[in-house]
Structures are given as structure tokens and as C-alpha cells.
Amino acid sequence: MKLSICFLLICAALGAGATNKSPEHTDTIQETPTSEANLGQMLNQKQIHSPYKPLKQGWLCFNTLIPDCQTPTSSPAQQPSITTTTPITPSTPTTTQSTTIAPRTTTTITPTIKPIPATTLKPTLPSSCKEISSKTSGVYLISVNNNSAPFNVYCEQEKYEGGWIVMQHRFDGSVDFYRNWTEYRDGFGNLATEFWLGLERIHQLTSARKHELIVEMTDFEGNHGFARYNAFQVGSESEKYELTSLGSYSGTAGDSFSHRNRNKFSTKDRNNEGKSVYHYAVLYKGAWWHGSGAIYSNLNGPYTAKKTSDLKSNWWFRFKTGYNPLAFTRMMIREL
């Protein structure tokens, strides 16, 4: 009898359990884990069973706990909501080692450009009238060398086979030749009329290259002559523009200049005549290579327009013999 009652009670209990089970659930869900360790243990023992798909990333998805968590493919409104009262502590985030990347260095390569020699940047100028191809006499620009400034000269290209630089020209007395040292050094007058080229330029020309000299003259009676010297050179200003070389004479006017060789130049304000008792540049009113001896030429003396002898005039003693003023004189040098 007792056994029958116990059997009936067990059957009643089993029937009540079957009545309370949800028709939609066949698995038991344990919702009372109290720690992350218990939750992990139940996951490993597959004790949690859910009718829903695994949680997607972005919906309380911790891929450290649910390995198959994936990026959601549907909108959040379509996903079921699961509320849990068990706090879940996220795992420690993985430490990512940062790598410092040095900034990229840009190397600028500058092409090497060789400078153009200064000599090729300047137009080539002739160094003398002899290098000028034109056969027409006139004013031309020349450059003695690269260390000196170019300057204009009058070139005689038609007479005496051409190539001559005119250093003195007188024919009408329009220019006063009674000048001081500075003016004779730098030059004066006009290349188109009467002028003196300048001792400094004459020095530059004759010291750079060998030159010859020709002196041509005409008196007031129309007589013409010339004197030619084959080695003309003038020293520097520190040497007082000494006539350092003259060479040998040839011509028709007579030699009235060879005895002036090695003499220094004198002007009215600069007496370089040595032991002379006179200052001939003042006495004859003409700057020249006077010296202390006898005087045979004074081409820079006053232009008098006279036919009679006059010491204070421009003369060439051996031309028709005497101190006869000259109507025309021209001194020219040419590179040899």
C-alpha cells in the first residue's frame, strides 16, 4: 500500500513538471552565473543553449568570450534584446606595439652648372687699330687688355698702310696745348678735331705690345715731311712717363727726336728736366720730353700761324732747319 502511494506521488510530480515546461523551449537556461569564471566554465561545457543566433559585433559582443561573433548584417531593430543581470568584465585590451616611422627625408639634387668664363661674356674688342678690319679712318673703341677699361681712339686706316692710333693732332690752333700734368696724363681735346690722347693710354699701349712711331708735319709753305721710329715706348706715371725707347730713325723730316730718348716728360707745373737751368716746358710754353740738353723739337708749343722763326711755337728743328712754326702735325703709333 505504501509503495502504491509513493508511486502515485512521483507520477503526479512528473506530470506537474511536464505541464509547466514551455512548448517553445526544450533546453534549460541557467541565468544565475555569479562570475566570469562560472560563465566561461559553462560555455566550455556547452551548458548555455539559446534559440538565438550568436551575438554580433556591436551588440554587446565580446569576441574574447564568443569566438564566432561577427559584424552585423542587419539593422539593430531586427536583433533580439537580451538582458542579463550578471556583470561581465571585459578582458584586458591587447597591447599594440607602436612603431615610430621617421619622416621621409627629401634630398634636393642641384645640378652643377659651370660658370661661363668672364671673357666670353664681353664682346671682343680690338686691342689696336691694326686689328680693325675696316679701311675707313675714324673713331673706334679698343681695349688694350682685360685689366684696363676700353677707350676710344682715332684710327688712321688709309695712309701709311693703315692701322695707326693717333696720339696727337694739330692743324688750326682751336685747342690750347699749354696744359698741366693731370691734363697731359689723362688726355684732352676732341678726337674729331685737335687733341692729345693722354700719357697714361700711350703707356698702356706701348708697354703691352711693341709699337712704332711716325710723326708727320706740314709747314705754312705747304712742305710736307715725316719722321719714323721703329721702337717707341713710354714708361709709367711713377717713371714720369719717361721715353724709355725710340729705336732707329727713317723719313724725310730729319731726326729731331732721338736725343730725347731716356728723358722724362715735363709740363708747366711739373719740371722733370733733370739738371736743366731752365724749365723748358715754361720757357717754350710746350710740354715735352725736354731734358737738360739742346732742344730740337717742341710739337706741343703754341700754335702761332706764323711763317717766321719763333721759339714759343710748335716746331721740328731739322725740318727745313730752324724754329719754324708748323701748320699741321700728327703723331701716330702702330702695333708691330
Side-chain angles (χ1 to χ4, degrees):
M1 184 69 176
K2 291 180 180 179
L3 292 174
S4 301
I5 294 171
C6 290
F7 178 77
L8 290 175
L9 289 173
I10 292 172
C11 291
L14 293 173
T19 304
N20 293 333
K21 183 185 291 188
S22 173
E24 299 178 358
H25 294 272
T26 59
D27 297 326
T28 300
I29 299 177
Q30 298 181 3
E31 298 180 353
T32 58
T34 59
S35 65
E36 182 179 343
N38 293 333
L39 179 59
Q41 183 178 4
M42 287 186 290
L43 285 173
N44 292 332
Q45 296 175 357
K46 298 184 180 180
Q47 295 177 352
I48 297 178
H49 302 281
S50 173
Y52 301 106
K53 294 181 180 180
L55 295 177
K56 308 300 180 180
Q57 187 175 7
W59 293 93
L60 301 176
C61 178
F62 299 93
N63 54 13
T64 56
L65 300 178
I66 306 175
D68 59 345
C69 186
Q70 300 176 357
T71 304
T73 56
S74 60
S75 63
Q78 298 173 349
Q79 298 294 337
S81 176
I82 298 177
T83 304
T84 179
T85 60
T86 304
I88 301 176
T89 304
S91 60
T92 304
T94 304
T95 302
T96 303
Q97 184 178 1
S98 63
T99 303
T100 303
I101 302 176
R104 185 175 182 179
T105 303
T106 303
T107 303
T108 302
I109 301 176
T110 304
T112 302
I113 302 176
K114 294 183 179 180
I116 302 174
T119 53
T120 63
L121 298 176
K122 298 179 181 180
T124 303
L125 294 174
S127 61
S128 68
C129 293
K130 192 174 182 179
E131 293 184 0
I132 295 174
S133 58
S134 174
K135 301 301 180 182
T136 302
S137 299
V139 178
Y140 295 89
L141 184 66
I142 67 170
S143 177
V144 178
N145 52 54
N146 293 332
N147 297 324
S148 60
F151 54 87
N152 286 318
V153 295
Y154 189 94
C155 295
E156 173 54 64
Q157 300 292 82
E158 301 165 33
K159 295 185 66 176
Y160 306 107
E161 300 176 350
W164 296 90
I165 297 174
V166 180
M167 59 176 274
Q168 188 247 43
H169 192 194
R170 306 187 72 185
F171 57 92
D172 62 3
S174 59
V175 175
D176 181 15
F177 270 66
Y178 195 42
R179 305 280 184 129
N180 61 31
W181 177 265
T182 301
E183 291 171 298
Y184 267 95
R185 179 194 66 195
D186 299 340
F188 56 85
N190 191 317
L191 293 176
T193 58
E194 294 189 334
F195 68 90
W196 173 261
L197 182 61
L199 290 166
E200 184 60 32
R201 290 180 181 140
I202 296 170
H203 160 67
Q204 290 179 13
L205 289 163
T206 59
S207 61
R209 287 170 288 276
K210 293 182 178 181
H211 282 72
E212 59 180 327
L213 167 71
I214 189 167
V215 181
E216 56 177 347
M217 61 200 75
T218 302
D219 63 16
F220 282 97
E221 297 178 352
N223 299 307
H224 179 78
F226 71 91
R228 194 167 185 168
Y229 300 89
N230 64 3
F232 178 71
Q233 184 177 354
V234 173
S236 64
E237 184 175 16
S238 63
E239 297 171 314
K240 301 176 183 178
Y241 297 116
E242 177 183 336
L243 184 60
T244 57
S245 178
L246 194 57
S248 58
Y249 160 83
S250 62
T252 60
D255 182 12
S256 295
F257 202 28
S258 290
H259 66 292
R260 300 295 86 183
N261 193 24
R262 310 305 302 183
N263 284 359
K264 295 174 175 56
F265 200 85
S266 292
T267 60
K268 65 181 181 179
D269 63 333
R270 191 75 64 88
N271 186 352
N272 296 319
E273 297 167 6
K275 297 180 181 180
S276 172
V277 294
Y278 303 104
H279 186 177
Y280 289 113
V282 174
L283 182 64
Y284 297 157
K285 290 189 175 182
W288 196 246
W289 292 274
H290 284 299
S292 58
I295 305 300
Y296 290 94
S297 55
N298 189 39
L299 294 184
N300 290 330
Y303 192 92
T304 62
K306 296 179 180 179
K307 295 182 180 180
T308 58
S309 179
D310 188 352
L311 287 174
K312 295 181 180 180
S313 66
N314 58 328
W315 38 266
W316 190 267
F317 185 81
R318 299 192 186 279
F319 179 60
K320 303 300 178 181
T321 309
Y323 303 104
N324 302 310
L326 298 170
F328 166 84
T329 62
R330 190 162 66 162
M331 300 177 69
M332 303 185 294
I333 58 175
R334 182 172 66 181
E335 180 182 349
L336 292 171

